[in-house]
Structures are given as structure tokens and as C-alpha cells.
Amino acid sequence: GDVQRMMDELAALRSAAGYTGPCIVKLGAGTYLPEYEPMVPAAAGDSFDRNPPVDSRDAAFILRPGVQVWGGHNASPTDGDTSRNPAANITTLSGDLDSDDAGSIFIDNAYHVVLAVNIPANDGTVLDGLTISGGCADDGGSSFITVDSASIYRSIGGGMFNWNSSLTLVNVNISGNTASGNGGGIYNNSSPLVLVNAVISGNTTDTGGGGMYNINSSPTIVNVNISGNSAGNGGGGMYNGGSSLVLINAVISGNSTGGFGGGMWNSGSSPEVRNSIIWGNTAPTGPGIYNGGSTPLISYSIVQGSGGSLSWVPATGTDGGNNKDTDPLFVGGGDYHLQSTSLEAIDAGNDALYPLDADAVEALLGQTLSPEAKTAINAALSTDLDGSPRKQGTIDMGPYER
């Protein structure tokens, strides 16, 4: 189906006088390709900034204020269908334009799979139950397109490019994207992202932030697996520049870089790390965390190279207490679940550091979320990344409850 046109028509309906209903695009299992390139000015007779179908690597899914996109339905969802199973019904937004069987002449993947530009706070823009894959922002130069007065560079943000946008991402898998510039998986610029129950894996960049690149942003990240990403210069898992993110019950492992910070590179940033595990990343300098003009606050977490709270290494950041520098004993082989012998991480978190509901997330963000976003967040926070009850005894470290 034409996902973009559905988003556009719902956004137009939402802006119509008197309409107060939901604006939800329900997608059945399968792979969806972008069909439009975002350009300004808008096409004649079209109230949104996109051009008609065109063979172009600038094609992308352009998010609209107040519109939700839900994956995980059966192949042919109906309006009354409330059953969803994202784990069983894989729903992919793909930049792999060559997979189009309609005789497309694309010779490479889309530069960006998803674009979010100037989405206001409190507008209820939610992605839930989706895989975002196949973005290839590989333009080595400085070329860009202009979307709503923003310069969208073709070398940045292969999976998602978020500019001045407030988004809620729940139950998403952002994997297999690449960029020659920053942010192989996700690029956030001035965007207060909320990310709950997600996997960010197998993304690459030649520069910084293989999995995620945050600049002047304040994302809140809960129950997230950031693994197997790579960056040429630094921040194999994540790069934070001028950003005050909060990382809760996450695992950052198996990421690599040829520069600084295999797991996380912080530059002029003040992240908080709670109930999380940063272990098994590689880099010439700072395999776990590398800080430049940054002092992250770390509590109830396992961080390789930190020394743990008993022999804290100040270069790691500020010791918030109850930290460890001990192998968490993952299952292994790319599986970051805890084993029964993972006693350093099981029941070793702090329940008070885990947001119980969307109201707590609002407090972390310092803003008001839309009712749609709060509903999605509340549902996600009650479970771990596997969908199991989040708290069984004292909360475990990492995104999976043993």
C-alpha cells in the first residue's frame, strides 16, 4: 500500500476542523518501500511537501505531525482489528529500493529510510512495531535536499534522520543501515526522542555514531539493545555531542570503532546511565566509554574499565553508586540475555531508577507527551525487550529480565 499517502491523508484529516479521532496507519506483515522524495515547494494541489513517485534515492518515509504508524498486524488489517504481534508479523520499512519487483531502475538504496523534520512536541507522532532497515546515506560529499527549510544531507542518518522533531519509537528494530557521515542507524539533531523496547544493531558509519548519533538532543532510552554497530572515527554504539540523554536498562555491547569510544563517545554531554550494561565493545581508546569534556552520571550499572564503585576510574564519569566492572556473563554469540549464572546483573538494578509509566518519562524529558505517545509508552514499560514482565523481584540490569 501507499504508506506515505495514508500518512498524508490522515494528517490532513487531523488538521480539519472538529476532528478528534485517532490518526493511525495500520500495516500488515511485509516489507514497504518509500515511493516519494520530499521536496519543497509542494506539488500543485498537495498540502504536503513531497513529489509524485519518482526513481530517486531521495525517496523516504516522511513522518507527519500527529500520525502514528503501527506494524505487526496480520497481512490485511481492518479498522476493527485490535490484535497485533510485531514479533510474529515482521513489518519492515526498507530502503532497499532494488527489491522493488515493479521494474524499478534504482541502482542503490535510499539515502534515508525515515525522515522527521520539524515535528512539534506533543503532536503524538509514534512509530510502533516496525523494523527500519536498508538505508544507505553514502554520499561522500556535502550534497543535501531541503525539507521544510532544513538541510538533509545525503551522508547522514541512513536509517532515520530526525531534525528538530519530537518522536516516540516503541518496539522498533533499527538494523542494517549505513552512512558515510554520522549516524548509521539514527541521526538526531535537536530532537527529544523517546525510545522504548528497541534493538539498534548491525549499523555502520565511516565517521561517528554507528548505532546512534545525538547532537544537541535529549533522548530518553529504555529497554534498548545497542549491539554489533561500528563507526570509523568514534562512538561505535553511540555518539553524544552537546546532549543530555538518559539511558535506562540498556545493553551496549559488541560495538566497535577505529577511534574513540567503542560503546559510547561523549563530547560536551552529560548523559545518565542507569541499570545498564556497557561491556564487550572494542576501540583503540576507551573501549567502553570515552569522554571529552563530559561527565556522565552512572548508577547501578556494569561498565567495563570503570573499576566499579569500589575502585572507580574517574575518567569513566561520576560514580552514582553500586556500579561494577565484572563480566555480566551474557549467553554469548550475539545473544545479550543473562544466564542463570549472571549474578552480577540479576536483581542488581534499582527499581527507583526505572520509569514506572509515561508520566515519569515526561518528567525526564521536561515536556508533555501526547495521549497517543503516553499510551504506547505505558504499554511498553510494563515489559522487558522480550515482552516478559519487566520486574521479577528486583529489576535486573540491561533490557532483558531473567
Side-chain angles (χ1 to χ4, degrees):
D2 191 336
V3 178
Q4 188 65 56
R5 185 164 291 280
M6 286 189 282
M7 285 194 286
D8 292 354
E9 290 179 354
L10 281 173
L13 178 64
R14 180 176 180 271
S15 64
Y19 181 76
T20 58
C23 294
I24 304 170
V25 176
K26 295 182 178 181
L27 298 181
T31 298
Y32 300 83
L33 305 177
E35 300 183 45
Y36 301 90
E37 61 176 3
M39 299 292 286
V40 176
D46 191 339
S47 60
F48 295 100
D49 297 334
R50 61 166 169 74
N51 279 347
V54 61
D55 288 342
S56 169
R57 295 185 62 201
D58 288 319
F61 294 100
I62 312 145
L63 301 187
R64 300 304 187 193
V67 176
Q68 305 177 65
V69 182
W70 293 2
H73 289 276
N74 293 322
S76 300
T78 62
D79 287 342
D81 178 17
T82 58
S83 63
R84 265 200 320 151
N85 188 337
N89 299 319
I90 304 298
T91 309
T92 302
L93 303 182
S94 174
D96 187 6
L97 303 174
D98 288 330
S99 67
D100 188 352
D101 61 1
S104 171
I105 61 171
F106 293 121
I107 60 173
D108 209 341
N109 290 24
Y111 292 118
H112 315 99
V113 181
V114 175
L115 287 180
V117 180
N118 295 332
I119 302 288
N122 315 325
D123 250 335
T125 302
V126 179
L127 299 184
D128 191 336
L130 297 168
T131 293
I132 297 171
S133 185
C136 185
D138 65 348
D139 189 306
S142 57
S143 67
F144 61 89
I145 57 174
T146 301
V147 180
D148 197 12
S149 300
S151 297
I152 309 300
Y153 287 87
R154 296 182 174 104
S155 59
I156 294 173
M160 291 192 71
F161 190 118
N162 304 322
W163 177 276
N164 190 36
S165 290
S166 179
L167 303 173
T168 298
L169 308 181
V170 178
N171 303 316
V172 298
N173 184 329
I174 300 172
S175 60
N177 302 284
T178 188
S180 58
N182 297 317
I186 306 176
Y187 174 83
N188 293 314
N189 192 319
S190 305
S191 295
L193 187 75
V194 178
L195 189 62
V196 183
N197 291 11
V199 175
I200 302 174
S201 68
N203 303 287
T204 65
T205 175
D206 295 340
T207 51
M212 173 181 286
Y213 187 98
N214 300 303
I215 185 74
N216 301 324
S217 295
S218 54
T220 296
I221 300 169
V222 188
N223 293 343
V224 174
N225 176 339
I226 301 174
S227 62
N229 304 286
S230 65
N233 291 344
M238 173 187 295
Y239 171 88
N240 303 306
S243 297
S244 55
L245 74 155
V246 182
L247 190 74
I248 305 172
N249 284 92
V251 61
I252 300 180
S253 186
N255 304 286
S256 63
T257 180
F260 303 97
M264 179 188 294
W265 180 8
N266 301 308
S267 177
S269 296
S270 54
E272 293 185 36
V273 179
R274 310 175 181 179
N275 295 349
S276 294
I277 302 172
I278 302 177
W279 190 272
N281 305 283
T282 58
T285 305
I289 297 177
Y290 177 80
N291 295 310
S294 302
T295 308
L297 174 62
I298 303 170
S299 308
Y300 287 84
S301 296
I302 294 175
V303 179
Q304 191 168 10
S306 69
S309 292
L310 296 179
S311 54
W312 188 252
V313 177
T316 309
T318 298
D319 175 29
N322 294 279
N323 295 304
K324 303 175 183 179
D325 186 358
T326 308
D327 191 339
L329 300 178
F330 296 126
V331 170
D335 185 338
Y336 297 102
H337 288 79
L338 301 173
Q339 304 181 68
S340 60
T341 55
S342 303
L343 302 182
E344 297 296 329
I346 293 174
D347 292 337
N350 183 337
D351 289 350
L353 297 181
Y354 183 84
L356 296 174
D357 53 27
D359 290 338
V361 173
E362 282 184 322
L364 289 171
L365 285 171
Q367 70 178 46
T368 301
L369 294 165
S370 70
E372 295 88 351
K374 293 180 74 169
T375 297
I377 291 169
N378 280 331
L381 286 175
S382 66
T383 72
D384 70 357
L385 187 50
D386 277 340
S388 300
R390 176 64 263 197
K391 295 180 181 179
Q392 300 178 40
T394 302
I395 196 167
D396 295 349
M397 293 180 183
Y400 304 104
E401 194 77 11
R402 172 73 190 184

